[in-house]
Structure formats: C-alpha cells, structure tokens
Amino acid sequence: MSPLNSLDLFLFSASKACASSLGLFVQIQGYVICSLLAIGWACAAYVRNREIRTMKNRMKDGNSLAFLYHDINEFEHSKQVNLPRVTVVMPLKGFGEHNLHNWRTQITSLYGGPLEFLFMVDSTEDPAYHAVSHLLSDFKDDVDAKVIVAGPSTTCSQKIHNQLVGVERMHKDSKYVLFLDDDVKLHPGSIGALTAEMEKNPEIFIQTGYPLDLPSGSLGSYCIYEYHMPCSMGFATGGRTFFLWGGCMMMHSDDFRTDRHGVVSGLRDGGYSDDMTLAAIAGAHKRLITSPPVAVFPHPLATDLNFSRYWNYLRKQTFVLESYTTHANWIMNRALFSVHFYLSWGFVAPYIMTLIHIAAALRYYFADYLLEETDFTSAGLLLVGLQALCTVIELLSMWNLTRIEVQLCNMLSPEAPSLSLASYNWALVFVAMLVDNFLYPFSAMRSHFSQSINWSGIRYHLKNGKIHKIERSKDKGPKFTDLGGKHLYGRRGAPAKISILGLLSKTLTHWRDPKKLDV
C-alpha cells in the first residue's frame, strides 16, 4: 500500500471539511445563487420573447413594418406630422472600429418627427471630432446634426459636462432629450418606440434600455458580457424598473430647462455618474423609470479588448458605488456594494470546493490507499454533481436569454446583417463568470480605499460622494478606452498586452501610489 503523504492528507481532510455542515451551507448557497440567476434570466427571456410574438402576430395581420410600430394606424400622415421634436445628445470620446457604424444607425433613424443630433466633444483634438464631422458632411442635406465643442469640465465628469452643454444648445421646441453613448447601435424604430412610450404615459421620468454585448473572442470581452448579463434582468421588465443605464436615457426637456428635482444642479455640482445620479433623484422623488421591451441594443466589443482594459472597466463600475447625492443614496450604494461583494465570492466558493472534491477523488481512486487510512468521503462527489447540474441550468438560461435577444435585435433591424450565437464560446463564458466574480471584490475594495479613478485620461477624486478635484495629465494618459478600443488621441500603435499576473502586480503598485501609474 502507498503511504499517505502530507498533500493527500490535506486533500482528504479538506474534502471532508467541505462536506461538513459549514461546507454544505456554502455549497447550498452557491446552488441558490445559480438558481436565482437562472430564474431571473428565464423571466427576462419571457418578456423579450413576448415582444417577438407580438411583432410576428402583427406581421401576420399585414403590418410588415411592425418593427417600427405595432399599430399600422400610427403610419398615418396626420399622426406622423404631430410627432414631438426630439434632441439626441451624444457625448463623444475617442474613435474606434465600431463608431462610424453606430453613428450611422443613429442619424438614419426612421423616426417621423423633427429630430436633431448634437455630437459633443471636449476639444477639436479628439479623433472623434474629425471622424463625426466627416460623416455628417455626407448627410448634411438629410439630417439636422452638428458637432459642438463643450470644452473641459471643471465641476463634474467630462461626460456629464458634455451632456449639460448639449442640453443648453438643444432646440427650444424639443419636447424630449435622448442621451446616447457613442457605442450604442440603434434600431430604425428605437427613437420612435421610446417617444411613443413617453407620449403614452407623461408620468415617465426617464426611459432607458440596455446593451446586448457581442464578445469579440478574448477573455476580457467575455468578462464584460458576463458582467452585464445579471444586470440585464433588471432592464427586461417591459415597464417599470429601478435600474438606469446611461447609454440610453430619454427624458423630458423641460426637466432640464427648469432644473426640476435638481437634475441639472445634481449632475453639474460634483456629479460623476450620470445614470446613478439621475436614478437617485428619481428614487428620492418617487419618479417613474421604465424600460420598454424593444430597448435592447447590440453592443459589439473591440476585437483587441484585452484583460487590462476589462479590469479598468470593472474598476469604473465599482467606483460608481462610491459616488452619491444624498444619505439615502449612500446607504443604497453601501448595500449594493456589500451584497454584490458577498454574492460574488459566494458564487465562486462552491467551485473552489468542487475542485477540492474532484482532486481528492482522483487521488483516492488512482492511488493505492486503504479506506481506513483516509478521511475521504464520497459525499463530496454528490455535491460536485449538484454543482455541475446547477451550472448547466444557469448557462442554458443565459444562452436562452441571449438567443432571444439576438432574435429580437434581428427583427428590430431587418436591414442590418443578422446577429448570431455561433460566435459565442460558452466555455469562455463559464471561465469569465468565475474570473469576473472572483475579481469584483478586489476591484470594489480598490475603489473604496482609493476614492479616485482614471476615466479616459482624466483622474477624478471624490469627496463625500462628489467630484472635488479633476486632474488632467500632461502626457494625456491612456491612449485607448476600454470596451470599444477607441483611440483617444490618435493612433500611436497598439497597447501592450498584459498578463493577469502582470496586471495584478501593476494594480498593487497602483494601490500603493495611485499617481505613479494608471491601470
């Protein structure tokens, strides 16, 4: 018989501990988290699929343009000429591989009412300025669009500053203002659908939507996709929601003209995140936020989205929870911080325990041990089986929601090349789930203790939840944004590839001295 070495003794003891009452509690907690995610994605899939069925029924009834309006009577001239004026405000920063296509989908909207587009940049040095100017020159006789230089921000984030300058410059007769990120790919009927909901229910304070990430193949892009998927269930309600995505927000223009509920001052005076600030205002004043089922937008990720840029994006997402406007908002953010922190490692821990059970089982069955000599228990294999079952159900639910959202996007943009699930690598999706949930607590702690972040070459410092200091480095900071791989200051070569170990080493250096380097 082989002697029981120290490593084997550790594995068998660890496996037995994982199968104990405490270990069983952790495993069951992991099963519950997987099950809740699966149920949430199933409910979201039901809402999106209901919209698909409605559109198909309208098409069978003779309305071939159901992707624009469900009711064919909405195409009557008398209704189209009375559509309200909408101003689209789009803050720009940098220029990447998907921007031109996204901008084209926005300015070629099939909305029948008066429509203007304001593309906002901080300076003419931004590559986006020349790119969008060239694009608009091709449509100068067909669309009402202009590029506006907003200048550098001094009291809030650059994005918010660009938005507020855009609001100041919008047409005096605009009834609604639609804020869009420059990486949003609109459907031909998106603006019309959002406007119709606002007209139908004047009590709506903000209408929003959510992106459908299209991973480019790298682990970083799959981590972004996995990060967004749990949030997607909060936007797939088909109506009222408490969530808000800054990439698509339609509001009443008069709310900004009159600074209703302090929307302008709340954003201008130290605002870091547009969506978190406006969501807090909506909650404080019990105003309605809705997300129509058609408000899901394809979001292609950069083909060279490396792990370093994913980490920087995650840092920005966790840093958002450090900004707040009121004490109630601070409590809510602390609660979100704590819950997400707990659930992330609660999701990862069962998989670590599963690896221990598998390793112990392999050592037991492939080594010549007597049962009496080991602490190995076969109960661990039952837990492994249950974990595998929960994982398969969870991934199937995620796949199903993605499949339905892809189908919905294809129906909403029949003129565009069809999207497909064929490019999705579900093994990488699973790995990304583990990596993202493992790293989230580290990113959250880093954001909490630093109270500063580098966003597109600008470092913002928070104090009491608001921006109190803005630093613009002379060397212009990073050359690329995170998700779109956009060049911020012109092409100067591709960014260096950074391994996970190198990234963690760089992050530790940054933790000790935030000004020494920027991740």
Side-chain angles (χ1 to χ4, degrees):
M1 297 294 178
S2 302
L4 191 64
N5 60 43
S6 58
L7 176 60
D8 294 336
L9 181 62
F10 168 77
L11 282 176
F12 296 145
S13 299
S15 178
K16 185 175 181 180
C18 290
S20 65
S21 298
L22 180 59
L24 186 61
F25 171 77
V26 174
Q27 294 271 184
I28 292 175
Q29 175 183 261
Y31 305 155
V32 171
I33 294 173
C34 288
S35 300
L36 290 177
L37 286 171
I39 293 171
W41 285 325
C43 293
Y46 171 79
V47 172
R48 303 292 193 196
N49 196 43
R50 184 176 59 191
E51 181 65 21
I52 292 175
R53 292 197 303 269
T54 300
M55 290 175 60
K56 287 182 176 179
N57 290 335
R58 296 295 184 272
M59 290 178 180
K60 289 180 180 178
D61 293 339
N63 182 8
S64 60
L65 299 178
F67 65 94
L68 295 177
Y69 292 102
H70 288 172
D71 186 357
I72 197 171
N73 295 321
E74 295 295 327
F75 293 100
E76 293 180 359
H77 178 72
S78 59
K79 293 190 176 182
Q80 291 289 303
V81 296
N82 290 321
L83 289 173
R85 176 179 286 273
V86 176
T87 296
V88 179
V89 176
M90 191 188 314
L92 306 182
K93 187 65 177 178
F95 177 68
E97 58 186 300
H98 301 296
N99 283 132
L100 274 179
H101 180 67
N102 293 336
W103 296 339
R104 286 180 184 274
T105 65
Q106 291 158 1
I107 63 177
T108 55
S109 168
L110 295 183
Y111 179 64
L115 188 62
E116 69 169 341
F117 296 88
L118 304 181
F119 294 86
M120 312 300 301
V121 295
D122 60 345
S123 74
T124 56
E125 294 183 6
D126 193 315
Y129 175 80
H130 300 287
V132 75
S133 297
H134 180 72
L135 173 66
L136 296 184
S137 65
D138 296 335
F139 291 88
K140 59 184 178 180
D141 297 327
D142 302 313
V143 298
D144 180 5
K146 58 178 70 75
V147 187
I148 298 176
V149 178
S153 62
T154 57
T155 63
C156 58
S157 69
Q158 187 64 48
K159 178 183 179 182
I160 290 177
H161 174 72
N162 289 4
Q163 290 172 327
L164 294 180
V165 173
V167 167
E168 293 175 357
R169 299 286 296 274
M170 67 182 173
H171 195 282
K172 62 181 179 64
D173 295 327
S174 283
K175 187 174 182 180
Y176 303 113
V177 57
L178 174 60
F179 298 107
L180 291 177
D181 280 355
D182 61 356
D183 54 0
V184 171
K185 180 182 179 296
L186 284 186
H187 305 292
S190 293
I191 296 178
L194 293 170
T195 305
E197 291 295 322
M198 297 290 280
E199 290 287 282
K200 188 186 306 180
N201 185 3
E203 295 300 316
I204 294 176
F205 182 53
I206 309 174
Q207 265 200 110
T208 188
Y210 205 64
L212 168 62
D213 290 325
L214 306 175
S216 59
S218 66
L219 177 59
S221 66
Y222 278 100
C223 286
I224 297 294
Y225 164 75
E226 189 282 329
Y227 178 83
H228 283 158
M229 282 303 288
C231 302
S232 66
M233 48 183 89
F235 291 86
T237 61
R240 177 187 289 271
T241 181
F242 298 100
F243 297 88
L244 185 59
W245 178 52
C248 174
M249 302 184 298
M250 177 174 276
M251 302 180 65
H252 295 269
S253 299
D254 283 342
D255 287 347
F256 287 90
R257 294 188 180 105
T258 62
D259 193 19
R260 190 177 187 186
H261 305 315
V263 292
V264 174
S265 55
L267 290 168
R268 180 191 59 216
D269 301 335
Y272 168 74
S273 170
D274 53 339
D275 48 13
M276 292 293 285
T277 301
L278 291 172
I281 291 173
H285 296 275
K286 296 180 173 55
R287 296 303 307 276
L288 179 62
I289 300 176
T290 65
S291 182
V294 295
V296 54
F297 309 105
H299 182 215
L301 300 174
T303 53
D304 59 349
L305 198 159
N306 57 26
F307 202 84
S308 175
R309 291 216 295 269
Y310 152 70
W311 170 255
N312 202 21
Y313 176 77
L314 184 62
R315 281 272 290 110
K316 292 175 184 177
Q317 297 305 300
T318 56
F319 189 77
V320 163
L321 295 179
E322 301 302 317
S323 64
Y324 54 89
T325 57
T326 63
H327 182 67
N329 187 208
W330 176 83
I331 293 175
M332 177 62 71
N333 285 1
R334 289 303 92 203
L336 289 173
F337 176 96
S338 303
V339 170
H340 202 157
F341 193 109
Y342 178 80
L343 293 179
S344 289
W345 276 354
F347 176 84
V348 173
Y351 289 100
I352 297 176
M353 298 168 71
T354 294
L355 287 177
I356 293 174
H357 289 311
I358 293 174
L362 290 175
R363 288 299 299 165
Y364 175 76
Y365 286 110
F366 287 100
D368 193 15
Y369 293 130
L370 288 175
L371 184 62
E372 291 80 6
E373 293 178 340
T374 72
D375 288 326
F376 177 72
T377 172
S378 60
L381 295 181
L382 175 61
L383 297 177
V384 170
L386 291 174
Q387 184 69 37
L389 178 62
C390 288
T391 302
V392 170
I393 293 174
E394 179 189 19
L395 287 173
L396 283 174
S397 184
M398 183 190 292
W399 168 83
N400 185 53
L401 174 58
T402 306
R403 176 186 66 84
I404 289 174
E405 289 189 337
V406 163
Q407 184 181 357
L408 178 58
C409 287
N410 286 335
M411 293 185 69
L412 292 171
S413 293
E415 84 296 344
S418 295
L419 306 178
S420 172
L421 281 177
S423 62
Y424 283 75
N425 185 327
W426 293 98
L428 268 182
V429 171
F430 172 68
V431 173
M433 290 168 62
L434 297 178
V435 171
D436 184 63
N437 282 284
F438 178 77
L439 290 179
Y440 182 91
F442 290 107
S443 178
M445 289 187 292
R446 172 73 180 91
S447 298
H448 179 68
F449 289 109
S450 70
Q451 291 294 297
S452 70
I453 191 72
N454 187 308
W455 187 1
S456 298
I458 305 173
R459 179 163 291 281
Y460 300 101
H461 298 264
L462 295 185
K463 184 177 181 181
N464 297 324
K466 294 183 178 294
I467 291 176
H468 80 102
K469 184 180 179 181
I470 301 175
E471 294 179 337
R472 289 178 169 83
S473 57
K474 294 181 181 179
D475 61 359
K476 295 184 178 180
K479 303 168 188 174
F480 301 87
T481 57
D482 307 309
L483 302 188
K486 296 182 293 184
H487 297 267
L488 299 179
Y489 307 104
R491 293 184 176 273
R492 301 181 187 176
K497 293 184 178 181
I498 302 178
S499 66
I500 296 179
L501 292 177
L503 177 64
L504 292 177
S505 174
K506 193 175 182 182
T507 301
L508 290 175
T509 304
H510 197 192
W511 197 318
R512 292 193 296 268
D513 187 0
K515 293 185 178 181
K516 189 172 182 180
L517 52 86
D518 290 321
V519 176

